[in-house]
Amino acid sequence: HLRIELVMENIALAVRHCMYVRGFFMLGFPTETRAEAEETVRVAIGSDLHEALFFLVTPFAGTALYEMYRELLRERGVAASDFDRMSYHDGSYNLSEIPDADLFALQRSAYRRFFLDPGRMARIALAHPRKRALAFYGLYALSKGLPHPAAIAKWWRAPFAGSDPPSWDATEPVRRPEPRRASRPAPAHLPMAL
């Protein structure tokens, strides 16, 4: 089991020795509750990390997690035909006890709460190893905390529809694995393997 206090001490030690420290956090483990996921986010925010990335647990083929996810999709009546395209960056897979919309909202909220801390922003600016990339990096980090485009569209239309705008973390459509797209063959002038 992970000893959080020891991890926090080691992060602080690395930062004191002028290392730029990133943390990778997983949300949406099987049976994870909202309180447990919130605690994960609180640990990240309370740390001396320069960066934190909040990924949803990804069930890769050949793992027990993959089999659990396939079973969960069957229970939900969703066809689980092809999982070859699973990736950490595009994942939106929920095995937790948290409703889909709440889990995705928590992930976006975690990015905002972590990166919009003025003290952390200053530490990133001072310690980031690639100063020229800071503008791009900042925009990317902030984009991870924005509402889903569907929520933005609802908010934009709300004044004209006579309803209240949705919250910042308004529900996004539940994304499920898409069928694998047929890949194009490599051009004849390129070798198949390098």
Side-chain angles (χ1 to χ4, degrees):
H1 287 94
L2 190 61
R3 290 186 32 215
I4 301 299
E5 61 280 347
L6 184 60
V7 171
M8 298 294 261
E9 288 174 21
N10 284 314
I11 291 170
L13 179 66
V15 169
R16 275 196 309 274
H17 286 281
C18 300
M19 292 182 190
Y20 190 84
V21 185
R22 290 184 177 120
F24 298 86
F25 297 86
M26 303 298 290
L27 301 171
F29 279 100
T31 72
E32 182 176 39
T33 65
R34 182 169 183 89
E36 291 167 331
E38 280 285 353
E39 181 60 23
T40 298
V41 173
R42 275 193 293 276
V43 166
I45 292 169
S47 73
D48 289 337
L49 289 169
H50 293 97
E51 293 181 36
L53 297 162
F54 300 93
F55 294 104
L56 298 179
V57 173
T58 305
F60 287 102
T63 65
L65 199 59
Y66 172 82
E67 295 307 320
M68 291 174 94
Y69 188 66
R70 286 176 55 102
E71 182 59 33
L72 180 67
L73 287 182
R74 274 193 286 279
E75 289 172 10
R76 292 181 180 180
V78 177
S81 60
D82 190 346
F83 292 99
D84 290 344
R85 294 180 348 116
M86 293 204 173
S87 83
Y88 292 115
H89 298 285
D90 299 328
S92 54
Y93 320 103
N94 186 3
L95 292 166
S96 72
E97 300 290 324
I98 307 166
D100 289 341
D102 292 349
L103 180 63
F104 302 139
L106 176 63
Q107 182 188 31
R108 289 189 303 275
S109 169
Y111 277 104
R112 285 194 309 275
R113 290 162 46 203
F114 186 89
F115 284 105
L116 292 179
D117 171 12
R120 190 175 315 274
M121 283 191 236
R123 286 190 320 104
I124 290 170
L126 290 172
H128 198 279
R130 295 179 56 213
K131 302 279 192 244
R132 290 188 202 179
L134 269 176
F136 171 76
Y137 168 74
L139 289 173
Y140 173 77
L142 291 176
S143 73
K144 298 295 276 181
L146 290 175
H148 187 272
I152 293 171
K154 287 179 191 173
W155 180 83
W156 184 256
R157 288 190 303 266
F160 306 107
S163 62
D164 294 331
S167 73
W168 179 262
D169 286 319
T171 305
E172 70 176 82
V174 175
R175 297 171 287 169
R176 297 291 178 204
E178 299 172 9
R180 187 175 183 188
R181 295 184 183 115
S183 59
R184 292 183 290 180
H189 65 282
L190 293 178
M192 291 304 287
L194 298 175

